[in-house]
Amino acid sequence: CAHTAPKTKTVISKEGESATLTCLYKSSSSRVLLFWGGLMLRQTPEFLLLKGARSETCFQSISPRYDSATSKTSTFLIINNLKLEDKASY
């Protein structure tokens, strides 16, 4: 999570369920691009999605299982149909 002090929070969910992760951000811009990435176990960081906030409307995701919502100060990563390989640091 860029432009803010990261906080660690563990989210526990079961396979097949959904999980929602939250990141707070600060920006005075009206056009904000927010990126989510994951550091999967024993692998390099991986781009998951980007989502526009405020007046920016773009959206790009590497999988239909990854979705995002935004507010003026938060971005949410929603992972649907969880799989064991989703265990990571985001």
Side-chain angles (χ1 to χ4, degrees):
C1 180
H3 301 292
T4 186
K7 295 181 182 177
T8 302
K9 181 179 179 184
T10 301
V11 175
I12 299 172
S13 296
K14 295 179 182 175
E15 284 187 274
E17 293 182 345
S18 295
T20 300
L21 309 174
T22 304
C23 180
L24 303 176
Y25 71 93
K26 293 179 185 177
S27 177
S28 59
S29 176
S30 64
R31 299 188 76 192
V32 177
L33 290 175
L34 303 163
F35 295 83
W36 278 95
L39 182 58
M40 294 10 182
L41 295 176
R42 299 186 190 106
Q43 294 185 13
T44 58
E46 180 179 353
F47 167 82
L48 300 177
L49 66 80
L50 91 89
K51 168 88 168 139
R54 301 181 185 170
S55 65
E56 183 63 57
T57 60
C58 68
F59 178 81
Q60 180 181 0
S61 176
I62 66 164
S63 169
R65 292 191 313 112
Y66 298 119
D67 199 0
S68 184
T70 61
S71 73
K72 289 180 91 174
T73 59
S74 301
T75 179
F76 306 92
L77 173 64
I78 304 141
I79 307 172
N80 296 298
N81 190 24
L82 284 168
K83 299 179 184 221
L84 187 57
E85 59 263 23
D86 293 322
K87 182 177 180 177
S89 295
Y90 293 91

